[in-house]
Amino acid sequence: GGSTDILARAIGPHLAATPDQSVLIENRPGAGGSIGADLVAKARPDGTTLLMGHIGTLGVNPSLYPKLPYDPVKSFEPVMGVAKVPNVLVVSAASDIRSLKDLIAKAKARPGHMTYSSGGNGSAAHITFELLKLRTGVFMTHIPYRGSAPSVSDVIAGHVDATFTGSPALLPHIRSGRLRALAVSSASRLPALPDVPTVAESGYAGFEADQWYGLVAPAGTSTEVIKRLNDAANLGLKSPDVLKQLATEGAIPIGGTPQAFGNLIKSEIPRWREVVQASGMKID
């Protein structure tokens, strides 16, 4: 039910090499996605096992885990960037918090008493909220879960005060009235939530922290196989059904070459290392 799962299910069926080949989406949550990433890193490099990598597994984890069982650059062959997903800051619809300003004021009044959830230590929601804390000067307690879906469920139930995670996992609950959106992480407003301001518009100029997702294969996968997968993924990303689903979920398609996605991964590692070091984030 999280962004990784939703995007994998959207693009997955288009990756089959033959019409009768099935594509299985297998969720392996935990350790900020590291468990699933390590599984793929050690898989046979024949193009049959892929990872829907993301900002956490490929961009943030190298700075969080001193003994990470894989290298985000050396352990994989990039296939294609699939989508960017703006994060949305939400609270329960039953909460008395109605804006980012309200959240900041309440958190500053009771440092450490308010909580926020994420899909796990080092996940995109965790790192995004840590960036928000750095920019706003608040202290809220992090409550990590094993995946985005349960972390969102406990915000809806009021067990946790807020979360700041990818729009695909949140939009159905925002539309149903169970969650209230306070702000989005992107530089511009999300078309699916035109009335929700950006964090920058809410008083924190320059704030931008979108999630990104993309396919990688185990290192050693042949150039021919990577090209086939890249061609199939790019074609799938142009299909009306995938574009409609991405738009519905608030995701922005990326596409392009393996090299372009590889360059994105390499550029994000030092960017988020600065946030990890400045925030003092630790993995238990």
Side-chain angles (χ1 to χ4, degrees):
S3 302
T4 309
D5 179 62
I6 291 169
L7 293 174
R9 293 185 187 280
I11 198 70
H14 297 272
L15 301 175
T18 61
D20 61 344
Q21 184 182 46
S22 60
V23 177
L24 173 67
I25 309 299
E26 183 177 357
N27 286 288
R28 289 293 185 99
S34 295
I35 293 174
D38 184 43
L39 179 72
V40 176
K42 293 178 171 59
R44 185 180 301 172
D46 57 6
T48 61
T49 304
L50 303 176
L51 172 72
M52 177 61 82
H54 54 71
I55 186 174
T57 51
L58 302 176
V60 178
N61 287 0
S63 301
L64 284 175
Y65 294 87
K67 296 182 180 180
L68 196 67
Y70 63 90
D71 184 293
V73 176
K74 297 178 181 179
S75 299
F76 303 105
E77 303 289 348
V79 176
M80 188 191 79
V82 173
K84 290 196 304 180
V85 175
N87 293 296
V88 184
L89 176 63
V90 296
V91 295
S92 169
S95 171
D96 60 354
I97 298 171
R98 298 190 172 276
S99 67
L100 176 58
K101 182 179 179 181
D102 288 348
L103 177 70
I104 300 307
K106 191 169 184 178
K108 286 187 174 180
R110 303 186 69 197
H113 283 78
M114 292 187 68
T115 57
Y116 75 93
S117 67
S118 79
N121 284 318
S123 65
H126 185 194
I127 193 76
T128 301
F129 218 110
E130 287 299 316
L131 178 60
L132 182 70
K133 286 166 60 179
L134 286 171
R135 290 296 308 275
T136 61
V138 302
F139 173 54
M140 293 175 63
T141 300
H142 176 220
I143 310 296
Y145 288 76
R146 289 180 63 85
S148 297
S151 78
V152 172
S153 294
D154 268 14
V155 175
I156 293 172
H159 302 313
V160 183
D161 290 307
T163 194
F164 201 177
T165 194
S167 53
L170 300 175
L171 285 177
H173 305 300
I174 295 171
R175 290 169 177 147
S176 70
R178 291 185 289 180
L179 287 175
R180 177 181 301 126
L182 305 181
V184 297
S185 68
S186 48
S188 57
R189 294 194 181 196
L190 190 60
L193 297 171
D195 297 327
V196 179
T198 66
V199 173
E201 288 177 313
S202 302
Y204 301 93
F207 186 98
E208 186 174 358
D210 293 342
Q211 297 185 32
W212 47 263
Y213 296 79
L215 296 166
V216 294
T221 303
S222 71
T223 302
E224 292 76 16
V225 170
I226 294 296
K227 184 180 186 307
R228 178 188 68 76
L229 291 168
N230 177 265
D231 289 344
N234 270 299
L235 189 61
L237 203 56
K238 295 175 183 177
S239 67
D241 61 318
V242 173
L243 289 174
K244 181 179 179 180
Q245 184 167 3
L246 263 60
T248 300
E249 303 294 348
I252 303 164
I254 298 177
T257 65
Q259 292 76 19
F261 186 46
N263 289 338
L264 173 64
I265 295 169
K266 292 175 183 176
S267 69
E268 286 284 272
I269 294 171
R271 178 193 179 204
W272 290 105
R273 183 181 297 122
E274 293 180 5
V275 176
V276 169
Q277 292 174 345
S279 67
M281 290 173 62
K282 301 292 184 182
I283 297 298
D284 297 330

